[in-house]
Every structure is written in C-alpha cells, then in structure tokens.
C-alpha cells in the first residue's frame, strides 16, 4: 500500500507498545508476577524507592535564556507548579515520586494536564498507568483512553475518558515504538518470580520446619495417622519450637529427610537474586544493602556512577517530556526545564576543597561562587567576594618570552656603559654615574 506522505498516513490499529501486558502472568517459577506483587520483594521495593526519591528530591526549575545567560524564570506560571505544587492536593516531591514509581513499575508515567481558557497549564494530576490505553483513531492520530474508577473525584458515566495528547504528560520508559514503554517488572518476571519463590520457601521453612523434621515410622498399624502427625506438628512445628527434644514411644522412629538450606545454596540463591533485581534497575548493590564488594575506596565512585549512568537517563526522559508538552513552540525557544544534579555529584570534603582551590587560583571562580555551591552566605561585594583572581606569575601566551627578551637588552645596555667607563666619557656636565645607576636608569627608559 502506498502513501503520498509517510508522515500523514492513516493508521487504524493500536500502537506497537500498547500490548505489552502479554508479558505479565505466571513466571517460570510458578509465581504470578505483577507490578504490585513485585513490590513485596524487598529488593524491588528498595530499587523503586531509591530511584523515585532521588528524582523527587532533585531541584526542578524552569530557566530563561537571555543574552547568552541562563536564569531562573520565577515569574513563569510553570515555575511554581514544577517546583512547589503541581496541584492543590500534593507537593512537587510527592507528585514526582508517584510518577517515577509508575515509570519504574509499569514503564510509563501519565499525568493529566489541566489548562485554563488561555491554554496555560494550571495543574497536573497523576493517572494510573494500568488504566491507561494509548491508541490511534481512524485518522491515525494518537489519543489516550483512561478507565475511570469509582475512587476518582468525578466518575464518567461511560467509564472511560478520552484525552488528547496535549492534555497528557506522558513519560515513556524503554519500549519498541518510542511511544509506550515496557514494564521492567513484566519483562523480568522470571527473575523476580524466582526471588519471590526463594523468599516464600524460606518463610515456609521456618513456619513448618519441625526440628528435627522428616518421617515418623510406627511398627504397627495406626488407625488415625493424621492424629499423630498433627500432634507432632503442634509440639515441634514452627520456628518457636525449634530445638525441642522429642520423646518417642511405642517403637516410633523418626527419620530426617529434609535438606539443609545452606547445602541447597539457598542463601546464595537469595543473594544472587537481589543482585539480579538491582541489575534490572541499574542500581549499585551497595545501595540496596549488599556491601560485599564495596569499600571506602570505591563506594564514592559507585555513587557517582549511579548519578551518571542510572539517574541521568531518567532525568533526561523527564526533562524532554515536560519540555515537549508543557511549553509552547515559542516558549521552547526561550525557556528550558532542567533538574539540578550538581548536589549529587559533589565529592567528599577534601576533594571539593582541592577543586575549589584550583578554580580560585585559575580565576574562573570567585569566593562567592564557591560559597554558593557550599550553601554559605556570600561575602559582601566591597570586601572582594566577587573578585576573580589569578596567579601573579602567569602571563598571556604571546608574552611568554618577554622576560628573556628584556634580559638580553639589559646585557647590551650594561656592556655599553662599561665601554663608556673605560673611555672616561661622562655626561655633558662631566659627571660619572656608577654602572648600576646608569644601568637602572637606562632599563627604566627601555
């Protein structure tokens, strides 16, 4: 089928990424995995909390570009919404934390944009991603269809609300079509399902693991075997009864058959699954409590790598999604929306001070520039707080040989004065200056 304009072709089916939910369901371990059950895993909960709180705690500002300089656009209506309160019901921290949690679990974050009569953004409200469907109409245009719940403030009689793309702030995660992201929980359900199975096995081991545990053998025939089993379980079952001494009567023999968890590498498996989940979210193991391979010499570098390779991509997704939908085409030429990650990139105290010293001595930071980064009060301008200083023995490149050039001229002057002394000629009055005096006088003239 041919199209005159490939960018205006008619598409009637749904987006390629809209059917990602087929990934969800039972995992190979037999455990059903979804976004909510995955949060019961401590490793998943920890990774989601670390990333969502990190993004929520970063300063978020809208900047205005003017005369080649960038300054905070505090008068822009979006500044208050993004930095303080996106809606009357929640703070900016809670709003971003909620959306980032959605993004990490479902692979997409949605927020409804409320505009006034002028088209200006006046509020942003989070939307649940599991109730959102991204599709195309008969003309191939994207639309968002949201399933309304009875818990929502206003219930649509039809049960669904269709929203235009300009009315939805959509931050997609990794996907196949660039429009809808895939759920990390769904794509990694087998790893998470195995971790859930290991945790459940450990819990059941302590809940039902009689110590000792095995087979009860009776030399005769029991009329009610369940009565003996229940009596044994009530007396020796559970972690609270672990270590009790068993007294056997009537020739009853106990044969342990259970496998020690350590022999079955149970603990090693659980530890590996924690690292596996941390790998899914690209979180350093030391941030989820695994300090086995961390030390004082490398843990700071791991934290910096977390900002650079883990947090920065998420921050870029947020920034570009907000810039795309919240700013008009004219505003995009003048304004930018940026997170400030400088605070997370700060090294230890000694490293910062060494860096500040180099910047101060080379003249590209003033005392007040340094104090602002350290959140200290500025030095008054009359006291020199805004002065930019350089080392006194540094010269421009074109004057690099001036010292040696001047020395050669001085040597020539000294040689001429010595010849004058030998000939006995002085000045017009017959006065004879000493060689150093004539040398200094001549040097000043030169």
């Amino acid at each position: 089928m041919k199209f005159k304009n490939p960018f205006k072709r008619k598409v009637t089916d749904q987006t390629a990424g809209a059917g990602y939910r087929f990934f969800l369901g039972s995992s190979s371990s037999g455990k059903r995995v979804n976004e909510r059950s995955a949060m019961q895993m401590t490793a998943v909960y920890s990774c989601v909390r670390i990333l969502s709180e990190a993004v929520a705690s970063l300063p978020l500002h809208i900047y205005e570009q003017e005369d080649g300089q960038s300054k905070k656009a505090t008068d822009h209506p979006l500044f208050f919404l993004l930095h303080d309160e996106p809606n009357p019901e929640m703070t900016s921290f809670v709003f971003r934390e909620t959306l980032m949690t959605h993004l990490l679990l479902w692979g997409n974050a949605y927020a409804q944009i409320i505009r006034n009569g002028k088209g200006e953004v006046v509020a942003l409200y989070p939307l649940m991603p599991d109730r959102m469907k991204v599709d195309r109409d008969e003309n191939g245009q994207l639309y968002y269809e949201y399933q309304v719940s009875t818990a929502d403030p206003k219930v649509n009689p039809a049960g669904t609300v269709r929203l235009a793309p300009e009315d939805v702030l959509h931050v997609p995660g990794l996907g196949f079509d660039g429009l809808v992201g895939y759920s990390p929980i769904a794509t990694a359900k087998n790893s998470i399902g195995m971790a859930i199975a290991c945790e459940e096995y450990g819990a059941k081991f302590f809940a039902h693991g009689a110590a000792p545990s095995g087979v009860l053998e009776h030399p005769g025939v029991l009329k009610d075997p369940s009565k003996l089993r229940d009596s044994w379980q009530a007396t020796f079952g559970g972690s609270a009864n672990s270590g009790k001494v068993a007294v056997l009567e009537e020739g009853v023999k106990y044969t342990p058959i259970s496998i020690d968890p350590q022999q079955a590498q149970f603990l090693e498996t659980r530890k590996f699954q924690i690292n596996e989940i941390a790998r899914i979210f690209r979180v350093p193991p030391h941030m989820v409590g695994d300090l086995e391979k961390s030390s004082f010499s490398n843990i700071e570098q791991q934290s910096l790598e977390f900002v650079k390779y883990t947090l920065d991509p998420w921050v870029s997704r947020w920034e570009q999604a907000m810039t795309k939908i919240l700013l008009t085409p004219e505003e995009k030429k003048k304004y930018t929306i940026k997170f400030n990650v400088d605070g997370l990139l700060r090294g230890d105290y000694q490293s910062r001070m060494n860096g500040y010293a180099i910047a101060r001595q080379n003249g590209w930071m003033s005392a007040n520039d340094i104090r602002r980064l350290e959140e200290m009060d500025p030095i008054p301008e009359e006291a020199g707080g805004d002065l930019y200083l350089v080392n006194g023995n540094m010269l421009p490149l074109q004057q690099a040989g001036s010292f040696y050039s001047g020395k050669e001229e001085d040597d020539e002057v000294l040689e001429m004065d010595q010849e004058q002394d030998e000939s006995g000629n002085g000045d017009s009055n017959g006065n004879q200056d000493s060689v150093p005096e004539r040398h200094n006088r001549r040097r000043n003239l030169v």
Side-chain angles (χ1 to χ4, degrees):
M1 185 175 182
K2 297 182 180 179
F3 300 94
K4 295 182 180 180
N5 189 340
F7 297 101
K8 294 184 178 181
R9 63 180 183 270
K10 183 177 179 179
V11 183
T12 57
D13 57 343
Q14 65 178 356
T15 62
Y20 80 92
R21 292 179 179 83
F22 71 88
F23 281 112
L24 291 171
S26 297
S27 61
S28 300
S29 63
K31 300 301 176 183
R32 186 170 182 83
V33 178
N34 56 41
E35 291 83 2
R36 289 181 170 84
S37 65
M39 283 291 281
Q40 296 178 357
M41 276 296 304
T42 56
V44 175
Y45 182 88
S46 179
C47 290
V48 171
R49 182 178 179 181
I50 288 169
L51 289 171
S52 60
E53 289 181 347
V55 172
S57 61
L58 291 175
L60 176 59
H61 301 290
I62 178 171
Y63 294 91
E64 181 180 3
Q65 311 296 325
E66 186 176 0
D67 298 331
Q69 295 183 351
S70 179
K71 64 177 182 179
K72 295 177 183 178
T74 55
D75 295 333
H76 197 284
L78 282 176
F79 188 92
F80 177 77
L81 290 178
L82 298 178
H83 183 265
D84 298 297
E85 296 180 12
N87 60 70
E89 299 176 355
M90 60 186 65
T91 63
S92 177
F93 182 97
V94 174
F95 174 80
R96 285 182 279 155
E97 182 186 41
T98 302
L99 260 64
M100 189 62 189
T101 301
H102 295 172
L103 185 56
L104 292 169
L105 294 176
W106 280 276
N108 296 275
Y110 303 97
Q112 184 178 4
I113 303 174
I114 308 299
R115 303 178 187 269
N116 58 16
K118 299 179 181 179
E120 299 173 339
V121 181
V122 295
L124 298 168
Y125 287 91
L127 299 174
M128 289 300 299
D130 57 341
R131 289 193 270 145
M132 180 69 76
K133 183 178 74 170
V134 183
D135 215 330
R136 296 183 186 272
D137 59 17
E138 60 276 5
N139 297 318
Q141 301 297 319
L142 286 173
Y143 69 87
Y144 294 82
E145 190 174 81
Y146 189 68
Q147 182 69 36
V148 180
S149 171
T150 55
D152 295 326
K154 295 181 180 180
V155 179
N156 190 301
T160 60
V161 176
R162 178 172 289 195
L163 301 171
E166 58 268 20
D167 294 329
V168 177
L169 170 62
H170 180 197
V171 185
L174 179 66
F176 290 166
D177 59 359
L179 297 176
V180 179
Y182 280 11
S183 167
I185 304 300
T187 53
K189 65 178 181 180
N190 286 330
S191 296
I192 298 174
M194 185 174 179
I196 294 175
C198 289
E199 189 174 76
E200 184 176 330
Y201 169 79
K204 287 185 176 180
F205 174 80
F206 289 105
H208 302 100
S213 176
V215 177
L216 289 172
E217 300 180 13
H218 192 277
V221 178
L222 294 175
K223 295 182 180 180
D224 190 1
S226 60
K227 184 177 180 180
L228 178 60
R229 183 184 63 245
D230 293 343
S231 175
W232 179 274
Q233 182 65 25
T235 306
F236 303 107
S239 58
N241 297 322
S242 177
K244 280 188 176 181
V245 178
V247 179
L248 304 179
E249 299 177 334
E250 299 181 359
V252 176
K253 182 180 179 183
Y254 175 79
T255 304
I257 61 173
S258 62
I259 301 176
D260 185 81
Q262 190 171 0
Q263 294 177 356
Q265 295 185 342
F266 168 69
L267 296 179
E268 287 77 4
T269 302
R270 289 207 63 190
K271 184 182 296 183
F272 177 80
Q273 289 309 118
I274 292 176
N275 289 333
E276 188 83 348
I277 294 173
R279 190 179 297 117
I280 296 171
F281 294 98
R282 204 187 298 169
V283 173
H286 77 272
M287 300 189 74
V288 293
D290 185 4
L291 301 175
E292 183 177 359
K293 296 182 179 179
S294 300
S295 63
F296 289 107
S297 60
N298 66 7
I299 198 167
E300 180 183 357
Q301 187 62 35
Q302 291 183 46
S303 299
L304 295 178
E305 290 178 355
F306 166 74
V307 177
K308 184 176 181 181
Y309 299 112
T310 303
L311 207 56
D312 269 355
W314 291 115
V315 166
S316 297
R317 290 180 188 272
W318 274 83
E319 291 173 345
Q320 295 183 17
M322 290 186 294
T323 301
K324 174 180 178 295
I325 198 66
L326 298 181
L327 297 179
T328 65
E330 290 299 322
E331 288 179 329
K332 292 176 184 178
K333 301 176 182 178
K334 187 177 180 181
Y335 297 97
T336 56
I337 300 175
K338 301 289 291 183
F339 285 92
N340 186 0
V341 299
D342 292 341
L344 297 179
L345 293 173
R346 294 169 59 181
D348 60 272
Y349 184 81
Q350 182 177 358
S351 300
R352 298 201 312 273
M353 293 305 108
N354 291 337
Y356 292 151
I358 295 174
R360 179 72 165 147
Q361 293 171 7
N362 287 277
W364 53 274
M365 288 188 76
S366 67
N368 283 341
D369 292 336
I370 298 172
R371 294 178 69 87
R372 276 189 288 267
L373 292 177
E374 291 296 315
E375 299 181 357
M376 301 170 66
D377 295 334
I379 299 175
E381 183 177 357
E382 56 272 14
D386 294 319
L387 290 178
Y388 293 88
L389 309 175
V390 294
N391 202 319
N393 55 13
M394 297 179 65
L395 295 173
L397 184 62
Q398 59 269 24
Q399 299 180 13
S402 59
F403 172 76
Y404 296 98
S405 176
K407 184 176 180 181
E408 292 176 357
E409 293 177 357
D410 290 346
D411 292 341
E412 294 178 359
V413 172
L414 183 60
E415 184 177 353
M416 293 173 58
D417 290 339
Q418 290 175 346
E419 293 177 356
Q420 180 181 2
D421 291 338
E422 293 175 357
S423 63
N425 297 327
D427 56 12
S428 58
N429 297 325
N431 297 324
Q432 294 285 339
D433 292 335
S434 64
V435 173
E437 290 175 349
R438 291 200 303 271
H439 171 67
N440 291 333
R441 186 173 65 250
R442 185 66 177 275
R443 184 175 183 179
N444 291 335
L445 291 176
V446 174

